[in-house]
Amino acid sequence: MKKFINDPFNLVDEMLDGFLAVHKKKIRKLEDVRSIARTDAPVAGKVGIVSGGGSGHKPAFIGFCGEGMLDAVAVGEIFTSPPPLACYEAVKAANGGKGVLILLGNYAGDVMNFQMSADLSAADGIEVEQVILTDDVASAPKGQENRRRGVSGAFLCWKVAGAKAAAGGSLAECKEVVERVNANTRTIGVALSPCTVPAKGSPTFVLADDEMEYGVGHHGEPGTERIKMMSLDDTVQKMMNEILVDLPFTKGDNVAVVINGLGSTPQIELYAAFRKVKSILDTEKINIENAYVGEFFTGLEMAGFSITLSKLDPEIKSLLDAPASTPCYTC
Amino acid sequence: MKKFINDPFNLVDEMLDGFLAVHKKKIRKLEDVRSIARTDAPVAGKVGIVSGGGSGHKPAFIGFCGEGMLDAVAVGEIFTSPPPLACYEAVKAANGGKGVLILLGNYAGDVMNFQMSADLSAADGIEVEQVILTDDVASAPKGQENRRRGVSGAFLCWKVAGAKAAAGGSLAECKEVVERVNANTRTIGVALSPCTVPAKGSPTFVLADDEMEYGVGHHGEPGTERIKMMSLDDTVQKMMNEILVDLPFTKGDNVAVVINGLGSTPQIELYAAFRKVKSILDTEKINIENAYVGEFFTGLEMAGFSITLSKLDPEIKSLLDAPASTPCYTC
């Protein structure tokens, strides 16, 4: 394992120290727990938006804590759910008296620990709702969407939820719009090489020189197929074939596209992938309204990328375009 | 070589097609050459700021083309200087009648081709000045600063030049402030693994499992030492020891810090590196005014990072903080 680290068990704290020092104008650490909040949280009279999960996915989750996106984030160890108390304090920090919406990936530990935080918060009299994000088509078949993992489509959900809350939306309205985004969002990922969790010290999977892991999760979860290397265009075509029929996306739809690097894929390849996505959507007469290319939800240094398509309506489009100011995303 | 590509010789064009489609509101392609400009260039009555170089360093260079930074960028093949005509058209596209300032890394091909573009532009009656950036302490000894490579400190130079031009600075003033930034900026890089240029197909260098390339350039140029793996803190200490004495940076200085990922180093490690940089600067009583952690000037998928320190004065600080809106940097 070649990494720039000290003790692997201190890495998350050392990262967080650095992160807080760089972004001190926008975020602060909560006392006694490993959670953060925007400096001005709770914002009185605004629905609080909370997320969290394991570390190693940066810029997710903490990079999107700030005005117009997440109010507070609970920070776990690498690829490990944050403890219930960290989730609970994040909810309390985000509570401006109008309720708190928790957005989380569909991972057992996150679901359990955030449920406990919701129960504790409810006992405090805080109104809490949750939306479990499920955009990864590779993780369960159509018809079993609620078993799917939440992956890079989460970026769109955080953006929309934060904007809806900033615009004065009620807790029910914020929840409804995120459910609408999630229901209309589909993602699939592919990897060329694994990542290594520092505390474990060995790769999450092993691929031959001519193999790709198709349908990979962003912790390195096995995909649906181990396939031979293909050209970029053939890879994108295969991914798009799967995403397009799943919703389905059809002629005349307006969509947002996210091309998300999983860690070590150069931007030059991500933009080339976007070119092929656009070419396919042009042929299908599906209109790209918003496009995001870069790293949003990584898996440490995994080489790979995911494609997310999200069907837009005018409200969702305007919420995506609303201002945000966070450490890793400003618009 | 495992990469998401089609024909390696089409990769830059395919990337550029995708990039232009994503960022069409901010940038446009110039006709007949592989160069880009902000959509509203030339801005009448403003000094034009131009840069360019080989591809594979994204977000540099094209990611910083836009309001408050670069007006136009000439795009080369991967790790290859753009041809003179592309540089010349970039200069013309940036010329708003108040002169054009070219900022370039200290690479023979870039220097030669941009000099030809400057000569051609001068023959057209465009006033052109150049500043050659030289922040990499590893590439030549102290006293021979003009032989040093320009690396991630360029990000600060582009930002300051763009802001000075936007504020109405003359060509001479823009040149002077960039020369001041360059003279006060020092960078050093380290790598754990190489990158592979697609058209070549083999790594730029080979390291043993327990080795680091210390002082590496961001094309994978050999560093000053091949050293054994060390902890993150020891690595940062060694890098800082070299940078601090080179300028030197001393007690009471105000500085900007850039922690630049070279491609596949996870952000978690970059922020942990910043923490150690801050700890060292705190001890030295050097004050961090501005901090930037992420990818600014990569070398494809190289694993590694660089540390840049830049001594600030009030004018430079305010130019760094001035608004910018580019595809990959907004403030």
Side-chain angles (χ1 to χ4, degrees):
Chain A
M1 175 177 63
K2 292 183 90 169
K3 286 181 179 283
F4 294 110
I5 56 174
N6 299 304
D7 180 344
F9 294 97
N10 290 340
L11 178 56
V12 173
D13 283 327
E14 291 179 357
M15 172 279 292
L16 204 54
D17 281 353
F19 191 82
L20 288 157
V22 171
H23 302 294
K24 61 191 172 191
K25 288 181 189 161
K26 293 183 177 172
I27 57 165
R28 64 183 165 88
K29 189 178 171 299
L30 303 185
E31 281 179 28
D32 301 331
V33 292
R34 198 155 62 186
S35 301
I36 65 162
R38 48 188 276 192
T39 45
D40 59 349
V43 179
K46 186 186 83 66
V47 170
I49 310 293
V50 168
S51 191
S55 294
H57 302 298
K58 202 167 286 72
F61 300 79
I62 58 177
F64 303 122
C65 185
E67 276 182 49
M69 289 187 79
L70 303 172
D71 292 278
V73 173
V75 180
E77 270 300 321
I78 293 179
F79 292 1
T80 302
S81 300
L85 202 61
C87 303
Y88 171 55
E89 292 296 337
V91 170
K92 286 202 292 184
N95 175 38
K98 203 171 170 178
V100 174
L101 178 62
I102 301 173
L103 305 181
L104 62 161
N106 199 5
Y107 301 92
D110 292 340
V111 171
M112 185 174 69
N113 292 354
F114 271 107
Q115 184 57 53
M116 288 170 71
S117 80
D119 294 343
L120 289 166
S121 305
D124 290 342
I126 302 173
E127 198 182 358
V128 178
E129 294 282 358
Q130 298 184 60
V131 180
I132 295 175
L133 308 176
T134 57
D135 55 312
D136 184 0
V137 299
S139 48
K142 195 165 162 63
Q144 301 181 32
E145 284 82 357
N146 64 356
R147 289 183 47 227
R148 289 176 171 175
R149 296 182 291 247
V151 285
S152 48
F155 169 73
L156 302 174
C157 294
W158 298 327
K159 179 68 187 69
V160 164
K164 185 71 182 176
S170 69
L171 181 57
E173 288 168 337
C174 291
K175 184 182 183 191
E176 184 280 325
V177 76
V178 173
E179 287 175 335
R180 199 173 350 135
V181 176
N182 185 57
N184 285 294
T185 301
R186 296 294 184 274
T187 300
I188 194 161
V190 62
L192 298 183
S193 70
C195 58
T196 296
V197 177
K200 180 165 177 276
S202 58
T204 49
F205 55 86
V206 177
L207 287 175
D209 282 349
D210 63 346
E211 286 179 335
M212 300 197 284
E213 187 74 23
Y214 180 80
V216 72
H218 56 207
H219 307 91
E221 294 94 332
T224 48
E225 293 178 76
R226 187 155 292 187
I227 58 176
K228 292 293 175 188
M229 283 291 292
M230 295 190 292
S231 71
L232 171 63
D233 281 3
D234 288 347
T235 305
V236 169
Q237 184 72 61
K238 180 176 169 69
M239 298 164 83
M240 290 290 283
N241 288 349
E242 196 150 354
I243 293 174
L244 285 168
V245 300
D246 194 273
L247 187 62
F249 296 88
T250 54
K251 183 176 168 179
D253 282 350
N254 294 316
V255 297
V257 176
V258 183
I259 309 289
N260 172 58
L262 287 171
S264 62
T265 297
Q267 281 191 31
I268 196 166
E269 298 175 29
L270 301 179
Y271 278 105
F274 177 80
R275 169 200 134 274
K276 179 62 178 173
V277 169
K278 180 174 187 307
S279 152
I280 293 168
L281 293 176
D282 285 349
T283 302
E284 300 286 332
K285 305 218 180 313
I286 293 170
N287 178 45
I288 302 174
E289 293 260 10
N290 290 52
Y292 307 88
V293 177
E295 291 182 350
F296 303 93
F297 208 139
T298 64
L300 293 168
E301 71 283 358
M302 200 173 357
F305 71 100
S306 58
I307 301 172
T308 298
L309 292 190
S310 183
K311 187 172 164 178
L312 301 178
D313 60 38
E315 182 187 18
I316 292 170
K317 159 81 176 152
S318 77
L319 293 170
L320 284 176
D321 292 343
S325 177
T326 73
C328 298
Y329 184 69
T330 296
C331 77
Chain B
M1 175 177 63
K2 292 183 92 170
K3 285 180 180 282
F4 294 110
I5 57 173
N6 299 303
D7 179 343
F9 294 98
N10 291 340
L11 179 55
V12 173
D13 283 327
E14 291 178 359
M15 171 279 291
L16 204 55
D17 281 354
F19 190 81
L20 288 157
V22 171
H23 302 294
K24 60 190 172 192
K25 288 180 190 161
K26 293 184 178 171
I27 57 164
R28 63 182 165 89
K29 189 177 171 299
L30 303 186
E31 281 179 28
D32 301 330
V33 292
R34 198 155 63 186
S35 301
I36 66 163
R38 47 189 277 193
T39 45
D40 59 348
V43 180
K46 186 186 84 65
V47 170
I49 310 293
V50 168
S51 191
S55 293
H57 302 299
K58 202 167 285 66
F61 301 79
I62 59 176
F64 302 121
C65 185
E67 277 182 47
M69 289 187 81
L70 303 173
D71 292 278
V73 173
V75 179
E77 270 301 321
I78 293 178
F79 292 2
T80 302
S81 300
L85 201 60
C87 302
Y88 171 54
E89 293 295 335
V91 170
K92 286 202 291 183
N95 174 38
K98 203 172 169 177
V100 174
L101 178 64
I102 300 171
L103 305 180
L104 61 162
N106 199 5
Y107 301 91
D110 292 340
V111 171
M112 185 173 68
N113 292 354
F114 271 107
Q115 183 58 53
M116 288 171 70
S117 80
D119 294 343
L120 289 166
S121 305
D124 290 343
I126 303 173
E127 199 182 357
V128 178
E129 293 283 357
Q130 298 184 60
V131 179
I132 295 175
L133 308 176
T134 56
D135 54 312
D136 184 359
V137 300
S139 48
K142 194 166 162 63
Q144 302 181 30
E145 284 83 357
N146 63 355
R147 289 183 48 229
R148 290 177 170 174
R149 295 182 291 248
V151 287
S152 49
F155 169 73
L156 302 175
C157 293
W158 298 327
K159 178 69 186 71
V160 164
K164 185 71 182 176
S170 68
L171 181 57
E173 287 168 338
C174 291
K175 184 182 183 190
E176 184 280 325
V177 76
V178 172
E179 287 176 335
R180 201 174 348 137
V181 175
N182 185 58
N184 284 295
T185 300
R186 296 294 184 273
T187 299
I188 193 161
V190 63
L192 297 183
S193 70
C195 58
T196 295
V197 177
K200 180 165 177 278
S202 58
T204 49
F205 55 87
V206 177
L207 287 174
D209 283 350
D210 63 345
E211 286 179 335
M212 301 196 284
E213 187 73 23
Y214 180 81
V216 72
H218 56 205
H219 307 91
E221 295 94 332
T224 48
E225 293 178 76
R226 187 155 291 186
I227 59 176
K228 292 292 175 190
M229 283 291 292
M230 297 191 291
S231 71
L232 172 63
D233 281 3
D234 288 347
T235 305
V236 169
Q237 184 71 61
K238 180 176 169 68
M239 296 164 84
M240 290 291 282
N241 288 350
E242 196 149 355
I243 294 174
L244 286 168
V245 299
D246 194 274
L247 187 65
F249 296 89
T250 54
K251 183 176 169 180
D253 281 350
N254 293 315
V255 298
V257 176
V258 183
I259 308 290
N260 172 58
L262 287 172
S264 62
T265 297
Q267 281 191 30
I268 196 167
E269 299 175 28
L270 301 179
Y271 278 105
F274 178 80
R275 168 200 134 272
K276 180 62 178 173
V277 169
K278 181 174 186 306
S279 152
I280 293 168
L281 293 176
D282 286 349
T283 302
E284 299 286 333
K285 305 217 180 313
I286 294 169
N287 176 45
I288 301 174
E289 293 260 8
N290 289 54
Y292 308 89
V293 178
E295 292 183 349
F296 302 93
F297 209 139
T298 63
L300 293 167
E301 70 283 358
M302 201 173 355
F305 71 100
S306 58
I307 301 173
T308 298
L309 293 189
S310 183
K311 188 171 163 178
L312 302 178
D313 59 39
E315 182 188 17
I316 292 170
K317 158 83 176 150
S318 77
L319 293 170
L320 285 175
D321 292 343
S325 176
T326 74
C328 299
Y329 184 69
T330 297
C331 77

